Amino acid sequence: MNELHIKTMADYMAAGEEPEILFWVGCAGSFDERAQKITKAVATILNNIGIKFAILGTEESCTGDPAKRAGNEFLFQMMAMTNIELLNAYNIKKIVTACPHCFNTLKNEYPGLGGNYEVIHHSQLIQQFINEGRLKIENGETFKGKKITYHDPCYLGRANGVYEAPRAVIEQLDAELTEMKRCRSNGLCCGAGGAQMFKEPEKGNKDINIERTEEALALKPDVIAVSCPFCMTMIRDGVKLAEKEEIVQVLDIAEIATKANGWT
Amino acid sequence: MLEQLLFVLIAIAAIWLFARNVKTIRRNILLGKDIDRSDNPSERWRTMAMVALGQSKMMTRPIAGFFHILIYAGFIIINIEVLEIIIDGIFGTHRILSFAGGLYNFLIGSFEFLAVGVLLACIIFLIRRNIIHLKRFSGVEMKGWPVSDANYILIAEILLMTAFLLMNATDNKLQQLEAAHYHTAGSFPVTSALASLLPNNESTLVLIERTCWWFHIVGIFAFLNYIPYSKHFHIVLAFPNTWYSNLNNKGKFNNMTSVTNEVKAMLDPSFTPPADATPGRFGAKDVTDLTWVNLLNAYSCTECGRCTSNCPANMTGKLLSPRKIMMDTRDRLEEVGNNIDKHGKDYQDGKALLGDYITPEELWACTTCNACTEACPVNIDPLSIIVELRRYLVMEESNAPSSINNMFGNIENNQAPWKYSPADRTNWINN
């Protein structure tokens, strides 16, 4: 037990209970220092709404996504089948992820290997809470009058058609949502997808994350909102390089929701 | 009578040649591996109707989209007139469909406006390519033949439309002069304005009219046989290409069954793979390792470059160009096809798509962001070719960048792409 009241599937099983939903944290959310804050924000929201959720804890593994995008189908399927065995053993029905890459893989590629679950991205869950009136954006840090632009992650947007859910959170704020020219289905990649996160970029005349961050910064936003831990890394690097980190915040949708509610 | 005979012979030769070329292309496409794309036919018809027939993805670039639709509509609608020309050619009649009266006049009138529209659009397209030099039409793959090909198509259409309009103008004047054979038929809202510029001599007019008539129809037959060698083949293949396009979420990559069998056997020693499971090659080295849908995609590509201009790797100066991936695939497939025609079907020329056409550097620049598949006006999927080639590099050649190999090693050993201990997975809770 801990201050966030995080329980694992093993805890639930030992108590003879089942959670409503499994929170698939993901590798970035587990290990990356910045992404850990997003993980905490998602857990905080689930706690405050009163959702019975579990994590896999040390039993969680990489979904195999980066291996698959890089062409290592063997490694991907090894990971997938091991994960599916675990998820099925725990009788998992519903999964929420804080990473569009985990989301895409679990949702689209696991069913063909025997893993059938209802998989949603945390922005969709937050949108659902807002629609049900269970999550109100109030009493916290004010975003009033602030200019926010949203960067669509490829594996949430183009790959799975989720464009509105992350925007629903921003629209609840008393803020100004300004779109970049390349948004929604025309969104520009942050440069991390397809296993690029784990390698140096090929030779070129510019890094993709710089191109994307420049486009965002041109709108002079107070906040660049993202909903993917890899986009977070890439855009933050871009903002730092432009020496704008003092005036432009890069925040995940979940963090915006917790901040606006004064939840820490 | 001689004229009619000549016409019939030319028509038969043109159609026979075209059919032969189409058959070769079909054979080449079917060199690809099988993939089932017969599911959900109603959705497939809908996609074809929207994307190919309805040109729904063209208008994302409004200027090109508008003029393309003009040429497309002109092409399809003016073909009704070609039907009449063919009947007139065979039977030696003059404007046989004119019995339709008012409707006929309306149609001929619309054709004239459309023909002017097509003419204008082709001129604008030529200016965009050759005077303004739009960036989208340049790039390493846009040298030599692809550049000439695009210009030939536009010039051919300009010539055809000019002949068509001049034919109408002279016909109209001959009708006014009540020349024999040229009975009154059709209305000519555009070309009637040219009457005063034309000679008044009846035999000269007939000569011009006949020349244009012949030029127009023989030009169409010639163009028909140019199309299979050209990017212009997209006017045919856009339809099957959209019908067979990927209907799944774009993020869903196929799970390789051959790998599933091996992994299952590894995890469960009692598992016996199905007897018909052929191990073959993992991923694609050459065009014959790709699916026939990939190869159909390659023949459907009209080299417009919307994929490349939306590609984040390309716009930041990397070697990758999704258009080049498609053009390389088609070029290599043509080469393989020619080899079969010349040397028999088992001939190996020692070349391959991977290495001789596409380099690993191009493949490793891809972020799999799907901007290319989203941008393609006919739903071509360059990404699945890139992924298949990467699969070959990784699984057959162990030829990945070292940092990628490290990532694989970390996943194998620590169940995470980074070198962290699985025991630390819950550290975030108390951090």
Side-chain angles (χ1 to χ4, degrees):
Chain A
M1 268 309 198
N2 38 67
E3 59 178 298
L4 277 169
H5 311 288
I6 307 293
K7 288 204 275 182
T8 62
M9 278 310 301
D11 295 334
Y12 273 97
M13 200 169 212
E17 289 181 58
E18 277 195 1
E20 287 174 55
I21 196 164
L22 173 73
F23 173 24
W24 184 280
V25 178
C27 298
S30 300
F31 299 118
D32 180 276
E33 226 171 281
R34 179 65 185 85
Q36 286 178 342
K37 293 190 177 138
I38 306 170
T39 312
K40 280 188 159 181
V42 175
T44 304
I45 293 169
L46 292 169
N47 273 332
N48 278 284
I49 302 290
I51 299 288
K52 266 173 74 179
F53 74 98
I55 60 166
L56 284 169
T58 52
E59 289 187 286
E60 192 183 283
S61 292
C62 173
T63 58
D65 164 79
K68 189 173 182 92
R69 306 310 135 189
N72 195 337
E73 184 73 7
F74 269 105
L75 185 52
F76 162 70
Q77 290 201 13
M78 291 283 285
M79 300 309 291
M81 285 193 207
T82 318
N83 284 327
I84 288 168
E85 208 169 312
L86 182 73
L87 292 167
N88 289 353
Y90 278 130
N91 197 26
I92 302 291
K93 298 278 185 298
K94 192 169 178 183
I95 303 175
V96 60
T97 76
C99 168
H101 298 268
C102 300
F103 165 71
N104 176 69
T105 308
L106 292 166
K107 177 187 162 75
N108 294 316
E109 291 160 356
Y110 275 34
L113 299 168
N116 294 288
Y117 322 103
E118 185 193 340
V119 185
I120 56 169
H121 180 254
H122 70 279
S123 64
Q124 294 174 301
L125 192 63
I126 295 172
Q127 183 192 33
Q128 186 195 324
F129 292 152
I130 291 173
N131 291 347
E132 293 167 353
R134 296 164 84 183
L135 179 72
K136 292 196 177 64
I137 304 284
E138 58 191 11
N139 302 327
E141 183 185 325
T142 176
F143 286 87
K144 190 172 180 183
K146 286 196 175 168
K147 198 189 250 190
I148 303 180
T149 189
Y150 173 70
H151 163 80
D152 287 281
C154 306
Y155 275 86
L156 191 61
R158 262 192 305 273
N160 288 290
V162 180
Y163 300 112
E164 298 312 322
R167 288 178 169 82
V169 178
I170 302 172
E171 280 157 9
Q172 291 294 307
L173 306 170
D174 209 358
E176 182 195 343
L177 172 61
T178 334
E179 296 287 359
M180 288 180 264
K181 192 172 168 230
R182 291 177 284 199
C183 67
R184 291 195 166 83
S185 63
N186 193 31
L188 179 68
C189 176
C190 72
Q196 296 293 334
M197 184 71 189
F198 307 99
K199 65 187 271 293
E200 286 302 311
E202 298 304 312
K203 272 202 300 289
N205 50 33
K206 197 177 196 178
D207 284 343
I208 296 170
N209 67 321
I210 306 297
E211 170 79 15
R212 184 50 161 175
T213 311
E214 281 174 0
E215 184 180 6
L217 290 176
L219 298 172
K220 303 210 178 307
D222 299 295
V223 176
I224 302 172
V226 296
S227 52
C228 168
F230 292 170
C231 299
M232 170 64 85
T233 304
M234 300 306 270
I235 304 287
R236 253 165 54 98
D237 284 353
V239 171
K240 264 185 233 163
L241 204 85
E243 298 181 338
K244 289 279 194 308
E245 72 263 43
E246 301 292 327
I247 48 169
V248 181
Q249 280 183 292
V250 188
L251 294 173
D252 188 273
I253 290 297
E255 294 176 310
I256 292 176
T258 50
K259 277 177 190 291
N261 277 289
W263 295 334
T264 46
Chain B
M1 197 59 206
L2 188 68
E3 222 175 284
Q4 285 163 253
L5 194 67
L6 190 64
F7 177 83
V8 171
L9 286 176
I10 291 174
I12 289 172
I15 291 164
W16 178 80
L17 256 174
F18 179 71
R20 209 185 62 156
N21 282 326
V22 169
K23 221 176 116 193
T24 306
I25 289 174
R26 185 173 181 275
R27 192 265 328 258
N28 288 353
I29 289 172
L30 292 178
L31 292 173
K33 289 194 299 185
D34 202 15
I35 178 175
D36 185 15
R37 283 278 167 92
S38 59
D39 61 307
N40 209 341
S42 59
E43 178 68 15
R44 295 190 174 283
W45 285 113
R46 209 184 65 85
T47 306
M48 189 178 89
M50 291 278 294
V51 179
L53 195 68
Q55 310 259 302
S56 59
K57 289 172 96 178
M58 284 303 292
M59 285 309 279
T60 51
R61 290 177 189 255
I63 299 173
F66 173 76
F67 288 110
H68 183 270
I69 288 173
L70 199 58
I71 296 181
Y72 164 75
F75 171 80
I76 293 196
I77 299 170
I78 297 174
N79 268 330
I80 303 172
E81 169 79 31
V82 174
L83 185 74
E84 180 182 50
I85 291 180
I86 290 174
I87 301 172
D88 282 347
I90 296 172
F91 299 105
T93 46
H94 178 248
R95 295 192 179 269
I96 184 110
L97 303 181
S98 57
F99 65 85
L103 176 67
Y104 183 81
N105 291 348
F106 171 75
L107 282 174
I108 296 293
S110 332
F111 297 157
E112 293 217 321
F113 286 113
L114 275 169
V116 172
V118 172
L119 206 60
L120 197 71
C122 289
I123 292 168
I124 289 168
F125 281 171
L126 274 176
I127 292 172
R128 280 157 59 91
R129 282 179 181 266
N130 300 288
I131 297 173
I132 303 175
H133 292 293
L134 281 196
K135 190 172 176 289
R136 184 152 64 87
F137 302 123
S138 63
V140 282
E141 68 274 23
M142 296 305 283
K143 301 231 154 59
W145 169 248
V147 175
S148 329
D149 185 20
N151 286 332
Y152 294 158
I153 294 162
L154 292 169
I155 292 166
E157 286 179 16
I158 287 173
L159 292 176
L160 288 175
M161 288 304 115
T162 309
F164 175 74
L165 289 170
L166 201 53
M167 175 186 88
N168 275 4
T170 42
D171 193 343
N172 179 41
K173 188 146 186 181
L174 284 161
Q175 288 179 27
Q176 282 168 5
L177 294 174
E178 292 176 0
H181 192 69
Y182 292 92
H183 61 84
T184 308
S187 87
F188 306 93
V190 176
T191 55
S192 52
L194 300 174
S196 58
L197 300 172
L198 293 169
N200 291 315
N201 181 301
E202 202 179 293
S203 59
T204 317
L205 284 171
V206 172
L207 183 70
I208 299 174
E209 195 274 339
R210 284 292 87 194
T211 308
C212 288
W213 189 92
W214 276 99
F215 182 87
H216 182 65
I217 191 64
V218 174
I220 284 175
F221 286 142
F223 198 50
L224 182 71
N225 280 291
Y226 174 75
I227 288 174
Y229 299 97
S230 158
K231 77 189 190 91
H232 211 53
F233 205 42
H234 79 281
I235 63 170
V236 178
L237 291 188
F239 294 89
N241 197 68
T242 47
W243 202 90
Y244 289 114
S245 59
N246 176 27
L247 300 180
N248 293 322
N249 286 338
K250 286 180 186 297
K252 180 180 181 175
F253 290 15
N254 69 320
N255 292 325
M256 295 169 67
T257 322
S258 51
V259 169
T260 311
N261 289 333
E262 301 229 358
V263 172
K264 275 189 179 157
M266 220 177 321
L267 296 173
D268 172 14
S270 65
F271 173 80
T272 37
D276 61 339
T278 43
R281 194 178 253 173
F282 293 116
K285 183 187 188 188
D286 210 347
V287 284
T288 46
D289 303 321
L290 296 169
T291 69
W292 62 263
V293 172
N294 293 140
L295 304 183
L296 172 66
N297 279 181
Y299 273 112
S300 307
C301 174
T302 192
E303 302 161 13
C304 71
R306 290 177 183 219
C307 52
T308 294
S309 79
N310 280 343
C311 172
N314 189 277
M315 68 176 72
T316 55
K318 278 86 175 171
L319 278 188
L320 177 64
S321 161
R323 171 174 55 191
K324 178 176 177 291
I325 300 287
M326 300 319 300
M327 290 168 69
D328 284 345
T329 303
R330 178 174 177 168
D331 289 348
R332 174 57 187 158
L333 182 55
E334 293 266 277
E335 187 175 52
V336 169
N338 289 339
N339 283 337
I340 291 173
D341 291 337
K342 276 196 202 125
H343 308 285
K345 76 175 169 53
D346 295 321
Y347 181 80
Q348 302 288 330
D349 63 357
K351 290 165 78 177
L353 179 64
L354 179 59
D356 293 303
Y357 286 81
I358 300 172
T359 59
E361 187 179 336
E362 292 165 64
L363 301 173
W364 290 115
C366 175
T367 69
T368 70
C369 76
N370 266 304
C372 54
T373 62
E374 181 74 32
C376 181
V378 293
N379 289 355
I380 290 171
D381 179 6
L383 178 53
S384 64
I385 298 180
I386 294 172
V387 171
E388 284 302 326
L389 295 172
R390 272 190 185 182
R391 282 172 171 170
Y392 181 85
L393 280 177
V394 169
M395 290 192 282
E396 295 277 357
E397 291 192 328
S398 302
N399 179 11
S402 61
S403 49
I404 290 288
N405 282 330
N406 288 341
M407 178 264 286
F408 293 155
N410 290 332
I411 294 180
E412 272 174 62
N413 299 319
N414 313 318
Q415 289 79 54
W418 296 287
K419 210 169 190 166
Y420 290 105
S421 162
D424 294 339
R425 266 200 186 263
T426 51
N427 286 2
W428 62 270
I429 300 172
N430 299 310
N431 268 4

